Amino acid sequence: MCGIVGYVGTKQAYPILMKGLYRLEYRGYDSAGIAILNGKLIMYKTKGKVSDLESYIDDQDTAGTIGIAHTRWATHGEPNDVNAHPHYSQSRNLAMIHNGIIENYASLKEELKNRGYKFESDTDTEVLIQLIEDIKINEKVGLEEAVRIALNQVVGAYAIVVISKDEPDMLVAARKGSPLVVGIGKDDFFLASDAAPIVEYTKDVVYINDEEIVAVKRGEPIRIKTIGNKLQTPYIQKLEMNLTQLEKGGYEHFMLKEIFEQPNSILDSLRGRLNAKEGTVKLGGIVDYEQKMANAKRIIIVACGTSWHAGLVGEYLFEDLARMPVEVEYASEFRYRNPIISEEDVVIAISQSGETADTLAAIELAKSKGATIIGICNVVGSSIARATDAGSYTHAGPEIGVASTKAFTAQVTILTLMALRLAQMRNTIPQKRFRELLTELESIPQKVKETLKIDGQVKELAKMFVYARNFLYLGRGYNFPVAMEGALKLKEISYIHAEGYPAAEMKHGPIALIDSEMPVVVIATNRGTYDKVISNIQEVKARKGRIVAVVTKGDKAVKELADFILEVPETEELLVPILATIPLQLLSYHIAVMRGCNVDQPRNLAKSVTVE
Ligand code: G6P
């Protein structure tokens, strides 16, 4: 939520900041702004996307080698020019960008108003920059110290970067609950919400921890201290990301590129972990904890959105293979209940971004009760990855389209590996069967590649449904989470209302909606409940619903009943979710494109939800 970028060095800041904003636009895109210091502290901001900001600035003055920039996902105050970041302090000597929420902004604002401060915007951010200015003047301290003192009065979440006319060679930044990375160049520094704006210039980065303040000054080494004023030693890491991962590479949208990357991203998730020939599964990140996992009384999976759907597939996998009781929880619900958690529980937190505020809070709660926390994250060095005891990265590479695709299949892949490993350790699966499953899992990237050949057919099919207003997705067993994920994908990017349901539950409500206008997508690949799904299809047909069925190649019975068929290669039932998801991703993509929607940046959504 909200992308922040800062630059100080010897190069012109404007092109670096602008490019950085484009790279972070997935985090929010309702307004954007930039401030550059060059004697004057100039600022441009506008409602709309980064491209609107760029056209608005056009050929106005942007000279300067130090600056900050922001792309916003509104929390306080509607998205308009005034509420866009950066925000000036009263004197206009300071400016700040912010990602997060200052919870006690109302009381701070009241105090500042009493002291004569005037406010232009409705934002909590403006309150904080005024407070920093007030401290700077009254306590007669420099910017870094003023930021430190101010943050001691703040309740909430933030990643901020502040620029000051009085100290024109320095940026001061801080974080709590929202991500912040510093890139260290030869004679310059880059600050950003994630590494995407930095990777082009340097691979040396420092991930800032919660409640740390960082000062980057031209010609001086990076300086980090806690808000309690304790100096910290910067831990410089090498970025593994490369630039091509951040570009569309000839595809019309990032989402399509990411859908097509899945044969490789799944291979990357499996790489070095699965060896079917030797019959081994090894997840290096959790080896020290796998015994604890195998002995756990219960596994609790916490996640949000698409990651929660992956968690549901995980539930079936752990129960089926490792015979372990599993609960899958929406992190936002879990954190505010009074859940029963013990030291014998293992909590698995799943998150693409590794920054989702609710998932992070659920982890903290489970930690406080003594549970072991395992992470499944995509973004290396992210807050969730660092908050867990151990974990496995999905290695899907940067996912930029807001609707998650390759991250989902990578999460399911990791969950499959974990379930298999635990099954092996707990002796809940015969060796022969274990090996069969490993061999089949190894063939999944190739089968995903085959599945993707369906793209042209899905595109044709999408034409029939461009004007649909509702969609129902049905599946049973392993395919029930797939149905929910298919429905979520469609509503996220095409704004068509869609619901995912367990097929048999349809008769307890959704059946009332079915008429000739209602497309029903049925995932009918299951072996176990195949006949039952056929009965569900007949119930829909009897009410004139139009059936799109995802079936296993060579299927006959469903083919006779369905209006449209999408075939996926034959595989083990427990691996079907990875394959069956793909036609559904493509269907939502093509429908959304045909409806003229912005698939990579759907309205009101953001990729990384760092607010509750
Ligand atoms: C947002 C995104 C979804 C994502 C969810 C959870 O809503 O738009 O695509 O599934 O957050 O995000 P996480 O990064 O924790 O997987």
Side-chain angles (χ1 to χ4, degrees), residues 8-214:
V8 53
T10 50
K11 303 184 187 76
Q12 282 300 301
Y14 178 71
I16 294 170
L17 295 174
M18 216 38 164
K19 212 180 227 181
L21 285 187
Y22 278 116
R23 295 224 193 280
L24 291 180
E25 203 171 17
Y26 72 86
R27 301 180 64 85
Y29 33 82
D30 60 40
S31 48
I34 200 160
I36 292 172
L37 186 62
N38 190 2
K40 308 172 288 245
L41 183 54
I42 44 177
M43 189 184 291
Y44 304 104
K45 47 191 200 170
T46 181
K47 180 177 178 208
K49 295 185 176 294
V50 176
S51 56
D52 296 312
L53 177 69
E54 199 172 16
S55 333
Y56 168 70
I57 295 174
D58 197 19
D59 55 4
Q60 298 186 70
D61 180 18
T62 56
T65 51
I66 175 167
I68 55 177
H70 188 268
T71 178
R72 180 169 187 244
W73 188 88
T75 54
H76 281 71
E78 63 171 284
N80 58 26
D81 299 354
V82 177
N83 289 333
H85 298 210
H87 288 281
Y88 278 125
S89 62
Q90 184 119 317
S91 68
R92 305 210 157 214
N93 282 339
L94 308 183
M96 183 173 102
I97 48 176
H98 170 215
N99 166 207
I101 293 183
I102 308 298
E103 286 168 19
N104 59 337
Y105 82 102
S107 57
L108 294 172
K109 190 171 184 175
E110 215 34 56
E111 274 173 43
L112 288 162
K113 271 186 177 166
N114 292 341
R115 291 214 286 279
Y117 283 86
K118 301 255 180 311
F119 291 85
E120 292 175 2
S121 76
D122 307 321
T123 64
D124 50 345
T125 306
E126 195 183 7
V127 176
L128 180 53
I129 190 65
Q130 302 275 42
L131 177 66
I132 292 170
E133 171 145 276
D134 188 60
I135 292 167
K136 195 168 170 308
I137 295 168
N138 291 315
E139 311 259 335
K140 298 190 178 52
V141 289
L143 181 65
E144 192 182 350
E145 183 60 4
V147 168
R148 195 187 70 75
I149 298 170
L151 291 179
N152 275 292
Q153 298 179 29
V154 157
V155 178
Y158 51 78
I160 56 166
V161 188
V162 193
I163 189 167
S164 165
K165 253 164 121 175
D166 301 335
E167 289 162 84
D169 296 316
M170 181 168 79
L171 292 174
V172 175
R175 81 158 264 180
K176 184 182 175 194
S178 299
L180 180 65
V181 192
V182 184
I184 303 178
K186 219 167 102 227
D187 42 20
D188 47 10
F189 294 102
F190 307 81
L191 294 152
S193 300
D194 69 29
I198 299 174
V199 63
E200 195 164 341
Y201 310 102
T202 175
K203 297 247 169 182
D204 293 332
V205 294
V206 177
Y207 292 95
I208 304 303
N209 293 311
D210 273 350
E211 305 205 330
E212 280 181 355
I213 299 173
V214 53

Side-chain angles (χ1 to χ4, degrees), residues 304-307 351-353 356 402 404 492 606-607 609:
C304 303
T306 290
S307 299
S351 174
Q352 186 287 128
S353 64
T356 303
V402 166
S404 184
E492 279 178 317
K607 185 139 193 80
V609 182

Side-chain angles (χ1 to χ4, degrees), residues 503-515:
E505 273 293 303
M506 176 186 67
K507 53 187 171 297
H508 299 292
I511 201 164
L513 300 170
I514 293 174
D515 60 16

Side-chain angles (χ1 to χ4, degrees), residues 1 303-308 350-357 359 376 379 384 399 401-405 407 411 485 488-489 492 602 605-609:
M1 285 238 133
C304 303
T306 290
S307 299
W308 184 77
I350 309 176
S351 174
Q352 186 287 128
S353 64
E355 300 295 344
T356 303
T359 310
I376 299 180
V379 177
I384 292 176
E399 191 182 63
V402 166
S404 184
T405 52
Q411 289 163 346
E485 175 56 13
L488 178 66
K489 234 37 354 149
E492 279 178 317
L605 298 181
K607 185 139 193 80
S608 170
V609 182

